[in-house]
Amino acid sequence: MAERTIPLIDHRHAAARPAVPRFAAVPNGLLSDRLGRALGDLRISVTDRCNFRCSYCMPKEVFDKNHRFLPHAELLSFEEITRLARVFALHGVHKLRLTGGEPLLRKNLEVLIEQLAALRTPEGAPLDLTLTTNASLLVRKAGALAAAGLKRVTVSLDALDDAVFRRMNDVDFPVAEVLAGIEAAVAAGLAPIKVNMVVKRGINDHEIVPMARFFRDHFGGKVVLRFIEYMDVGVTNGWRMDEVLPSAQVVARIHAAFPLRVLQATALGETAERWGYADGAGEVGVISSVTQAFCGDCNRARLSTEGKLYLCLFASRGHDLRALLRDPAGYSDTQIAAAIGAIWQGRDDRYSELRGSAEGAVASAAKVEMSYIGG
Ligand code: SAM
Ligand code: SF4
Ligand code: SF4
């Protein structure tokens, strides 16, 4: 086997302190970046810890007992997260996704969900509040999450074959418990549930059709399976292009077993291309971040566990919003909104479109890890 070198660099501290404009205008929800893209979706990482060690995300060799996870005092508090989410909503954010690390490991997460569920857009509508999880704690928590106001969940599951899945999560976690978590989420009303499968060629691509078959036949259309191309996020997963199976091939394999027809996208900025089974038995989605870049309408911002704002999944530097929240000057929401507005207006990130080019290599020279800013 070829030897693999894993760079050990910690970029978590590379962040610029945002400037607070002297004259802060009240946000009007019409923010646009340098490429004309609005701000619509905020992904919030609530912990950098995880009880899995998926090789494509937190390889064991790097995230071992010597890895320094963030101490509690560095994390944003629930009040700080909620305050920022409220400010982002003023700028047009209508969708919040909690992620991590494994978000269900954050203590009393229901309390945060309750606070976020109470937020409203300037038009008075609740925000679309969801969460991505490995489902290991979902049996225990689904009821409380739904009662707190969570609307939906996305569950990650990379194989139905128990041996393959245990190898991929690298902590010997069984498929049956994830399926029990999905059932608990359905029972709690957290549907429609999306199930994400990251496809790695030669590792779990033989599971594509069995996964499609299983989710067609179970849960009565309340679960939508989506296949994600293995991405070159972070620097620790030793990503190689030959391990990416293009989504076109995923669709072709499913189509050969169960004929498919393409469906219309439901929302601008939606990452998944949707395919419906020709016999009406539901749909599947493919997310082709590598082979078909969708930066053109990317409206997503990411907030790290300790309050740094990232404008792209492949960014190297964040913007330290926590420094503003904790500044002795006591900035108002309007001032913080103005700082965020100025940051978004300067955004020109479009890494997936530049992947493979010299410009892309410069832009992503020190990408942060997915477990730190969330998926
Ligand atoms: N721990 C939770 C989970 O696994 O659902 C939430 C955080 S995880 C970083 C969010 C999503 O990112 C998961 O669906 C995971 O499969 C996906 N992901 C992580 N690393 C990836 C990679 N290299 N390529 C594609 N997707 C990846
Ligand atoms: Fe943990 Fe999710 Fe990353 Fe897997 S993908 S290691 S479950 S954060
Ligand atoms: Fe958005 Fe960056 Fe992904 Fe492009 S590469 S779609 S800009 S997160």
Side-chain angles (χ1 to χ4, degrees):
M1 209 169 85
E3 211 171 287
R4 212 174 103 192
T5 311
I6 296 170
L8 279 167
I9 321 163
D10 188 347
H11 295 293
R12 289 176 296 183
H13 304 293
R17 190 196 153 90
V20 177
R22 271 190 73 175
F23 301 103
V26 176
N28 58 8
L30 298 174
L31 203 55
S32 158
D33 74 6
R34 281 167 67 185
L35 303 177
R37 298 169 296 186
L39 172 55
D41 179 335
L42 180 66
R43 303 188 172 197
I44 304 171
S45 174
V46 293
T47 177
D48 58 342
R49 291 164 200 260
C50 187
N51 51 347
F52 283 16
R53 285 294 176 273
C54 307
S55 56
Y56 52 72
C57 178
M58 295 180 79
K60 243 182 190 163
E61 308 88 307
V62 178
F63 294 88
D64 59 9
K65 62 178 182 347
N66 297 319
H67 180 78
R68 187 183 160 270
F69 289 100
L70 294 166
H72 193 77
E74 290 203 22
L75 311 190
L76 287 188
S77 68
F78 290 168
E79 288 66 30
E80 287 172 326
I81 292 175
T82 306
R83 183 176 181 206
L84 284 179
R86 184 183 311 117
V87 169
F88 273 94
L90 295 174
H91 273 310
V93 162
H94 49 82
K95 187 170 171 186
L96 299 177
R97 176 178 296 280
L98 302 185
T99 178
E102 173 46 46
L104 300 187
L105 290 182
R106 180 85 186 249
K107 252 202 198 143
N108 303 322
L109 190 71
E110 313 77 70
V111 174
L112 173 64
I113 291 190
E114 226 170 84
Q115 293 176 10
L116 296 175
L119 296 179
R120 295 289 176 271
T121 65
E123 296 74 38
L127 303 176
D128 179 12
L129 180 57
T130 177
L131 172 153
T132 304
T133 175
N134 63 24
S136 56
L137 299 170
L138 209 44
V139 169
R140 235 182 295 162
K141 301 207 164 180
L145 294 170
L150 188 69
K151 293 287 172 246
R152 297 180 289 110
V153 284
T154 295
V155 169
S156 304
L157 175 64
D158 296 330
L160 269 187
D161 180 288
D162 204 47
V164 174
F165 182 60
R166 284 176 192 257
R167 245 194 328 276
M168 287 187 81
N169 64 55
D170 215 7
V171 293
D172 214 24
F173 197 85
V175 170
E177 284 192 40
V178 176
L179 295 179
I182 295 173
E183 256 168 47
V186 171
L190 294 170
I193 292 166
K194 289 175 185 155
V195 170
N196 282 351
M197 169 176 171
V198 175
V199 180
K200 268 184 101 171
R201 192 199 291 269
I203 304 288
N204 66 339
D205 59 316
H206 58 290
E207 285 287 294
I208 292 169
V209 173
M211 285 278 285
R213 179 180 297 113
F214 181 83
F215 287 104
R216 262 172 63 91
D217 294 349
H218 293 79
F219 303 111
K222 291 198 169 124
V223 175
V224 176
L225 178 61
R226 306 188 313 171
F227 299 88
I228 302 183
E229 286 178 351
Y230 169 42
M231 288 187 285
D232 46 339
V233 280
V235 291
T236 62
N237 61 12
W239 182 88
R240 295 199 326 249
M241 187 64 200
D242 61 5
E243 289 178 322
V244 178
L245 185 79
S247 292
Q249 291 187 39
V250 173
V251 171
R253 288 193 200 181
I254 300 173
H255 182 68
F258 311 107
L260 293 169
R261 54 191 168 75
V262 73
L263 300 175
Q264 290 297 317
T266 44
L268 190 74
E270 190 176 310
T271 48
E273 181 182 275
R274 299 168 58 220
W275 292 82
Y277 290 114
D279 63 4
E283 65 176 87
V284 289
V286 288
I287 300 180
S288 318
S289 340
V290 179
T291 60
Q292 273 185 298
F294 39 72
C295 302
D297 56 7
C298 177
N299 62 359
R300 291 177 291 284
R302 292 177 163 84
L303 188 60
S304 80
T305 314
E306 93 271 58
K308 289 174 186 157
L309 174 65
Y310 287 85
L311 304 178
C312 174
L313 191 49
F314 300 90
S316 316
R317 278 178 82 79
H319 302 264
D320 189 359
L321 299 184
R322 191 188 65 187
L324 301 187
L325 294 176
R326 297 187 183 174
D327 193 291
Y331 292 122
S332 67
D333 283 4
T334 308
Q335 285 174 305
I336 291 178
I340 292 171
I343 294 168
W344 189 263
Q345 281 167 336
R347 175 185 191 241
D348 61 358
D349 302 66
R350 53 186 188 103
Y351 172 75
S352 284
E353 288 181 356
L354 302 175
R355 181 184 279 110
S357 69
E359 208 183 327
V362 172
S364 67
K367 298 171 288 187
V368 285
E369 297 298 318
M370 185 97 150
S371 54
Y372 168 64
I373 54 167

